[in-house]
Amino acid sequence: MKSPASASWKAPLKFRMPAAENLVPIRLDIEVDGQRYKDAFTWNPYDPDSEVVMFAKRTVKDLKLAPGFLPQIVQFIQSQLATFRSYAGQDMYVGDKIVPIKLDLRVDHTVIRDQFLWDLNNFDSDPEEFARTLCKDVGIEDPEVGPAIALAIREQLYEIAIQNVTSARENRINKKGRRAAEHFPISKPSGAALDLMKLFRSSVVRKRKEWDYYKPVLDLLSNEDVDALEAKEERSG
Amino acid sequence: MAVPTDASGFLGRTEVGNDESKIRIPKLTKDPGMENKPRHDPNPDSTRPEEPELDLYTIPSYSSWFAWNDIHETERQALKEFFEGSSISRTPKVYKEYRDFIINKYREDPSRRLTFTEVRKSLIGDVTLLHKVFRFLETWGLINFVAPPPPRQGSDSDDRVRVEDGAPNGVRVVATPNSLRPLLAPVVKGKKSGDGVEESGVQLPHLASYSDVFGDLKRLHCANCGDNCDSGYYEYKKVNFVVCVKCFKSGNYGEGKSMDDFELKDCSEKSATNGVVWTEEETLLLLDSVMKHWDDWDLVAQNVQTKSKLDCITKLIELPFGESLIDSAKGGGYSSSTSMNMIGMKPVCLTSSEHQENIINEDQGYDGTIENEKNGDSENQEPPSKKKRTASISDADSSLMKQVARISTMVDPQITAAAAEAAVAMLSDEMSCPREIFYGDQIDLTNGSLSPTLRADAIGESEIQERSSPSESQEIHLKNSDVPLPLRIRAAVATGLGAAAARAKLLALQEEREIEHLVATVIEAQLKKLQSKVKHCEDAELLMEKEYAAIDEFKEHILGERINILRTTHNTGTAKLLEPSSVQSQTGNIS
C-alpha cells in the first residue's frame, strides 16, 4: 500500500497552462500622448511572431490610435510572450493540486465575484467553457463578461504555473544541495494548493454556511456607478 | 425496479435517448450525507398509499440501470477519472457523493431546472470535473429530465450579436467599435452534449409563404370589375379596397363609399422613378435630347426642363431600350446589335442565355458609371472579362435552363421581360402557332403569363410607337384572343422547352459532326506522318545504293592501279631484282 505522499507523486511535467488549450493571457495598459489603451486577451503562443505585428497594426487602425502605439503594443505583447516561453522548457511540477480561484472583476455594468476550485492536473479543463456555463446559468447577457472571466482564470492559472516552476527549481536545488532522501516529497503543497487530505477526507459536500462563499455574486451597476468607478480607476491607474 | 411506463404528455420532446418512455422509480434510501429536507410527492395522483415514504420521480427508461446504493458500469465508463485511483480527490466515494447530492438537489423541485452553478457552490472539488459529472447526469436524464428546457439560445445569441457603438469596456480608448480578441468568440452557443438532451433539434427557417415571395408582384385587381389595375388604381383609404381607373370614373365602387375616400395610386410612378412623374412628352423630349447630346447630361436636363440630371439618367436607364441608346451613343451605332435585340429588332441567332449575358453586361456596365467609354464591339466579343461578374454565369457544366434561370433571377424583371419578349418574337417568327397564342392579347401578354411587373415596358412600348421605330409592339396584332390563360401558359412553357430541346439537338448534331471532322483530321495527320517516314527511308536507301556503287567503282579503280604497278615493276624487272626487299615489300603491301 503506497503511502499517500507517493501515491500522489507524479513525474514532473513540462511547463504549460493547466488547461485544455495552452493560451497565454496578455494584458496591455499603454499610454501615449494622452491616449490610454487598456486591453486583455488570450494569445496562442504557437502563432508566428508576424501575427503580433499584424494584430498591433489592426488594433491601431481599428481603434484609431496614435501611431506611436504600434511599437509599444508589439513590444509589450512580445515581452509577455517571451516570458511565457522562457518557462516553456522547464519542469513544472503539478502533482495533485487543487487550487482556489477567485474572481473579482467588473465588466461594463456587471460586477462579478466568485470563488471555486480548480484542478491543475486536469488538462481537460477549459476556462472558456466554465465562463460560458457561468454566464448562462446566472443569466448574464453581456457578451464581454464571459471572455473576461476566462481571462481572469487563465491569468491566475498562469501565475500558479509560474510559481510551480520556480518552486520546482528551488526544490531541485535544495535537493541537490542536501542530497536528501528521495522520499522527500516534491509534492509538498506550495502556498496556493490546498491540502487535499484534509479537504476530501470527510464529506465532499460543503457546510451550508459556506455555500454563499462559493457561489457567484452578481451586481449590476447603474450608469453613474460605472462612471464613478471608471473615473476612480483612471486616477489611480 | 422498473415500473411500466405512463405516457403522460412528455412525449412531445425530442430527446437524445432512444426510448421515450419514462419509468418511475421509487427513491429507496435516504442518503446519510444529506440533510433532512422535506420531500414532497411530485405526483399527487400517486396511488400508493401503502408506501408513504417513497417518492416517485421520473427518469427515462434508458437510465433504468441507476441504483442509489451502487455505481453502475455506465458511470464507471463515462467518468473513468474517479475509478483509477489516481488521486485522493477522485475516488468512487467522492463520485457517489457528488452524484447523490446533485440528484437530490434536483429532486427538491423537479419542475425547476437545476443549473451547474447551483451545485458547484455546495461541492468541494475541481469545477471542471464537477461539470463533467453534472453533464453526465443531465445527459442520462437523471436530473433535469422533467424540467423545462433552457431558454432558447437563439434569442441570446441574437442579443449578443447586437452592434455596439463605442469601444467595448475591456478596451479603453478613443471610441471606435472593436471587439476584444479572445480566441473564443462570445457568441458561440454552448451546444455541449450536456445540453443536448433538452434542446429540440435544428431550428428550421420559416418557410416562405406565397405572399412573402410574390407579395410585391401581386397584381392588383379592381374589386369591382376584376380587371387588372396597372395604369393606376384608386385605393380606398379606410379599407383595403382597390378600384381601377375606369370604375372610379364611372362611379362603380360599391355602396357606402364616396369619391373623396379614394386615393389615387398610380403604378407608373411606384415602380420606376422614385416618385417622379414622367409624362410622355417629357420622355419624348428626353429621348430626343439624348439622341442629340449623347452624353452631356446637363444639356439633356436643360432640354427636359422639368427634370433634373439625375432623374433623366435614371429614367433613361429604366427604359428598356434606353441603355442601348446610351450604348450606341458611346461606341458607335451598329455595334450594339445585341442591345437592339432587346427590342427584338433583328434577332440575331443567339441563345437566350448569351442574350441575357450581354444584357447583364450592359446593365452592370451602366450601374452608375455612365461616363465610361465602352466600345460596343468589344463588349460583344468578350463580355465577361471586362465587367464585374456577380457569379460565374457561363459555367460550362451547368445546363442552359439553369443558366437562364439563374440569370433571370439576377437581373431586374424588366430586363428579363424584355429578353423574354425578344425570345418570343424570335420564336414567333419561326412558327405561327405560338404567335397566335402569345400575341393574342397584348395586355395580358405583358402582364400575365410571361412577365411579372413592367410598367416601364408599357411606357416603353407606347413610346416606341410614338417614335415609330421598328419594334415588336408594332408587329403585334392587338386582337382579342379566346385562348384561355392556362393554355397560354402551357403553350408558352411547351414552346420554350421545345425550342430549347430542338436547339439542343441541333447543337448535339453539330458536335457530332465536329467530332467526326476532327477524327478525320487526326487520321490524316497520322497518315502523313507515316508517309513522310517512308519517304525518308526510301531516300536513305537510295543514298546507300549510290554510295555502294561509288565504292565498287573505287575498288575497281584501285585494283586497276595495282595491276599497273605490278606490270611496271615487272617490266623494270632485272634492275629491280637486285633490290628484292623493296619489290617484296611493295608486293607485300599490295597483296
Side-chain angles (χ1 to χ4, degrees):
Chain A
M1 176 68 184
K2 296 184 186 166
S3 67
S6 50
S8 59
W9 185 88
K10 283 221 177 58
L13 303 162
K14 293 296 172 196
F15 174 82
R16 57 158 291 163
M17 289 288 290
E21 293 178 31
N22 199 18
L23 304 170
V24 187
I26 300 212
R27 211 170 258 281
L28 298 176
D29 187 356
I30 309 176
E31 184 147 359
V32 167
D33 294 339
Q35 264 183 338
R36 191 156 181 215
Y37 168 59
K38 268 181 82 161
D39 198 359
F41 47 86
T42 44
W43 190 268
N44 183 351
Y46 301 118
D47 273 346
D49 280 338
S50 53
E51 294 284 323
V52 178
V53 180
M54 274 172 41
F55 170 75
K57 281 194 187 147
R58 182 112 273 236
T59 309
V60 167
K61 180 171 153 212
D62 286 346
L63 299 177
K64 298 196 175 47
L65 302 173
F69 273 97
L70 181 61
Q72 296 244 8
I73 294 177
V74 171
Q75 186 218 331
F76 273 107
I77 296 180
Q78 279 179 347
S79 68
Q80 294 186 41
L81 279 178
T83 320
F84 179 82
R85 288 189 186 130
S86 70
Y87 289 109
Q90 312 196 11
D91 288 341
M92 168 182 80
Y93 181 60
V94 179
D96 207 13
K97 286 247 233 23
I98 298 197
V99 298
I101 304 264
K102 291 197 173 66
L103 294 180
D104 185 2
L105 51 130
R106 178 187 75 83
V107 179
D108 199 7
H109 292 262
T110 314
V111 172
I112 188 158
R113 279 190 299 276
D114 198 359
Q115 200 187 139
F116 44 85
L117 297 171
W118 197 279
D119 182 0
L120 294 176
N121 216 23
N122 184 353
F123 289 102
D124 290 334
S125 59
D126 191 356
E128 280 77 20
E129 194 203 325
F130 176 79
R132 264 203 303 275
T133 314
L134 178 55
C135 290
K136 189 177 72 140
D137 287 347
V138 176
I140 297 176
E141 296 208 345
D142 191 349
E144 292 177 36
V145 177
I149 293 176
L151 191 82
I153 297 174
R154 272 193 191 271
E155 281 184 325
Q156 294 185 46
L157 293 176
Y158 185 34
E159 281 293 319
I160 296 171
I162 292 181
Q163 281 176 18
N164 273 334
V165 171
T166 46
S167 71
R169 219 185 298 153
E170 281 170 14
N171 275 338
R172 236 197 344 260
I173 294 174
N174 283 343
K175 214 175 148 205
K176 275 191 198 154
R178 286 217 241 141
R179 293 191 197 173
E182 289 80 21
H183 72 70
F184 184 75
I186 308 183
S187 63
K188 184 161 116 184
S190 66
L194 303 174
D195 193 351
L196 293 178
M197 292 283 309
K198 214 166 30 164
L199 211 52
F200 283 89
R201 189 190 325 143
S202 59
S203 165
V204 217
V205 183
R206 287 203 180 99
K207 303 193 183 51
R208 264 215 169 217
K209 59 186 184 206
E210 287 184 10
W211 285 11
D212 287 333
Y213 293 123
Y214 285 92
K215 72 167 191 218
V217 174
L218 197 61
D219 268 332
L220 282 174
L221 303 177
S222 65
N223 282 335
E224 298 88 32
D225 293 334
V226 171
D227 292 334
L229 278 172
E230 281 184 9
K232 217 191 319 177
E233 278 169 27
E234 289 237 0
R235 267 181 271 127
S236 62
Chain B
M1 176 174 72
V3 172
T5 69
D6 151 278
S8 57
F10 292 115
L11 288 175
R13 334 157 61 91
T14 50
E15 268 154 287
V16 175
N18 332 335
D19 195 347
E20 293 239 351
S21 55
K22 285 91 28 229
I23 290 185
R24 291 208 178 133
I25 62 164
K27 180 176 188 295
L28 293 177
T29 55
K30 260 199 324 191
D31 192 324
M34 283 295 304
E35 293 184 3
N36 222 338
K37 293 189 196 47
R39 256 178 290 121
H40 58 273
D41 190 340
N43 301 307
D45 53 343
S46 153
T47 53
R48 293 175 164 231
E50 65 274 12
E51 299 173 8
E53 291 86 22
L54 294 183
D55 298 311
L56 298 176
Y57 298 93
T58 315
I59 63 169
S61 63
Y62 49 77
S63 301
S64 53
W65 45 262
F66 176 71
W68 276 109
N69 39 14
D70 192 15
I71 298 178
H72 192 257
E73 189 59 32
T74 319
E75 301 168 277
R76 284 175 196 273
Q77 284 292 323
L79 298 162
K80 292 201 176 87
E81 297 94 331
F82 290 100
F83 302 100
E84 285 163 354
S86 51
S87 153
I88 193 172
S89 65
R90 302 177 192 178
T91 64
K93 171 173 172 293
V94 166
Y95 164 68
K96 190 169 183 305
E97 281 198 66
Y98 286 161
R99 175 194 80 180
D100 294 347
F101 179 85
I102 295 177
I103 296 184
N104 282 326
K105 191 97 181 116
Y106 169 64
R107 289 183 177 182
E108 288 174 14
D109 184 4
S111 60
R112 164 208 57 127
R113 185 169 193 84
L114 186 66
T115 60
F116 170 63
T117 310
E118 282 176 56
V119 294
R120 63 105 160 146
K121 72 185 182 198
S122 326
L123 291 171
I124 298 175
D126 176 34
V127 288
T128 312
L129 194 57
L130 275 173
H131 195 46
K132 198 166 173 190
V133 174
F134 185 84
R135 269 185 288 136
F136 169 76
L137 294 174
E138 200 173 30
T139 318
W140 282 96
L142 293 163
I143 59 173
N144 285 339
F145 186 56
V146 186
R152 278 304 307 161
Q153 289 172 323
S155 55
D156 273 355
S157 64
D158 286 341
D159 287 338
R160 287 175 184 191
V161 190
R162 65 170 183 263
V163 176
E164 292 186 338
D165 257 343
N169 297 74
V171 180
R172 306 247 252 102
V173 119
V174 186
T176 319
N178 189 13
S179 56
L180 296 178
R181 283 244 324 220
L183 289 175
L184 295 179
V187 296
V188 168
K189 298 192 215 177
K191 294 227 173 201
K192 296 284 180 180
S193 59
D195 301 329
V197 186
E198 268 66 331
E199 275 177 301
S200 58
V202 180
Q203 205 181 21
L204 296 171
H206 293 287
L207 297 175
S209 70
Y210 176 78
S211 52
D212 288 339
V213 176
F214 293 103
D216 300 330
L217 310 178
K218 68 178 187 255
R219 319 297 310 139
L220 286 166
H221 291 272
C222 169
N224 214 26
C225 58
D227 274 348
N228 286 325
C229 302
D230 293 296
S231 51
Y233 61 95
Y234 282 84
E235 184 171 312
Y236 194 50
K237 279 183 240 171
K238 294 183 196 154
V239 190
N240 240 356
F241 190 76
V242 156
V243 165
C244 70
V245 183
K246 280 189 290 190
C247 291
F248 184 76
K249 293 211 175 100
S250 52
N252 301 347
Y253 28 75
E255 328 80 43
K257 302 181 185 68
S258 69
M259 212 175 210
D260 308 319
D261 291 333
F262 280 87
E263 221 174 74
L264 171 62
K265 291 230 167 87
D266 200 338
C267 299
S268 58
E269 293 97 66
K270 241 195 335 193
S271 65
T273 52
N274 313 332
V276 180
V277 184
W278 278 83
T279 65
E280 290 176 354
E281 295 93 24
E282 286 173 337
T283 326
L284 251 187
L285 267 177
L286 170 68
L287 290 167
D288 273 337
S289 31
V290 166
M291 283 301 201
K292 257 188 281 179
H293 304 294
W294 299 137
D295 203 13
D296 199 344
W297 296 106
D298 292 316
L299 290 176
V300 170
Q302 266 177 24
N303 272 359
V304 186
Q305 287 105 3
T306 49
K307 293 288 176 294
S308 72
K309 218 172 26 172
L310 193 60
D311 286 334
C312 295
I313 299 174
T314 327
K315 176 72 188 157
L316 197 63
I317 295 177
E318 280 155 3
L319 294 176
F321 53 85
E323 298 171 16
S324 67
L325 288 178
I326 302 176
D327 183 34
S328 58
K330 298 293 169 190
Y334 203 69
S335 56
S336 45
S337 56
T338 54
S339 60
M340 290 307 177
N341 266 326
M342 283 166 62
I343 330 180
M345 281 181 65
K346 231 6 176 181
V348 179
C349 216
L350 295 172
T351 63
S352 46
S353 74
E354 287 174 56
H355 190 106
Q356 293 188 354
E357 196 172 309
N358 285 331
I359 293 172
I360 292 167
N361 294 331
E362 292 167 40
D363 186 37
Q364 288 174 342
Y366 290 113
D367 273 346
T369 56
I370 302 188
E371 307 81 74
N372 285 348
E373 287 289 329
K374 289 201 243 319
N375 192 354
D377 269 332
S378 61
E379 259 187 85
N380 292 342
Q381 280 149 24
E382 21 171 321
S385 52
K386 287 194 181 171
K387 309 293 186 291
K388 89 176 138 63
R389 304 178 75 189
T390 53
S392 58
I393 298 176
S394 51
D395 267 340
D397 52 357
S398 59
S399 69
L400 183 60
M401 283 305 182
K402 274 194 213 157
Q403 284 187 28
V404 171
R406 209 187 310 148
I407 291 170
S408 54
T409 55
M410 288 189 332
V411 296
D412 286 343
Q414 300 161 353
I415 299 177
T416 320
E421 288 197 51
V424 161
M426 240 170 65
L427 290 171
S428 307
D429 288 345
E430 296 172 21
M431 297 189 296
S432 60
C433 169
R435 178 197 292 252
E436 285 168 7
I437 296 182
F438 289 142
Y439 295 124
D441 190 345
Q442 170 60 21
I443 309 270
D444 284 326
L445 166 66
T446 54
N447 302 334
S449 51
L450 285 187
S451 51
T453 59
L454 333 182
R455 252 347 268 153
D457 252 45
I459 291 185
E461 278 160 21
S462 61
E463 297 200 22
I464 295 170
Q465 281 168 3
E466 284 175 31
R467 291 167 46 85
S468 65
S469 50
S471 72
E472 58 188 351
S473 58
Q474 290 194 337
E475 298 167 18
I476 295 163
H477 318 291
L478 290 173
K479 66 174 194 237
N480 278 325
S481 155
D482 297 327
V483 183
L485 188 60
L487 176 61
R488 278 209 290 264
I489 293 177
R490 261 191 245 136
V493 169
T495 320
L497 287 173
R503 180 142 205 98
K505 180 114 175 53
L506 285 174
L507 284 172
L509 283 175
Q510 192 186 351
E511 285 298 311
E512 241 188 81
R513 263 182 270 129
E514 225 181 279
I515 290 175
E516 285 171 21
H517 174 70
L518 286 171
V519 168
T521 320
V522 164
I523 294 179
E524 247 187 68
Q526 296 278 43
L527 277 177
K528 279 207 186 109
K529 244 182 15 186
L530 281 176
Q531 274 178 6
S532 63
K533 278 192 194 165
V534 164
K535 191 156 181 308
H536 184 75
C537 287
E538 282 180 3
D539 286 344
E541 248 189 72
L542 204 58
L543 271 174
M544 267 183 56
E545 280 183 24
K546 289 218 173 118
E547 264 181 47
Y548 192 65
I551 288 179
D552 266 350
E553 256 188 60
F554 198 53
K555 255 167 96 170
E556 284 189 26
H557 177 73
I558 290 180
L559 200 57
E561 278 202 28
R562 264 177 79 183
I563 293 177
N564 278 343
I565 290 173
L566 278 177
R567 201 179 290 145
T568 345
T569 55
H570 187 69
N571 288 345
T572 60
T574 18
K576 291 293 174 187
L577 277 173
L578 293 178
E579 300 169 322
S581 59
S582 57
V583 171
Q584 293 241 337
S585 66
Q586 269 194 343
T587 51
N589 274 346
I590 289 172
S591 61

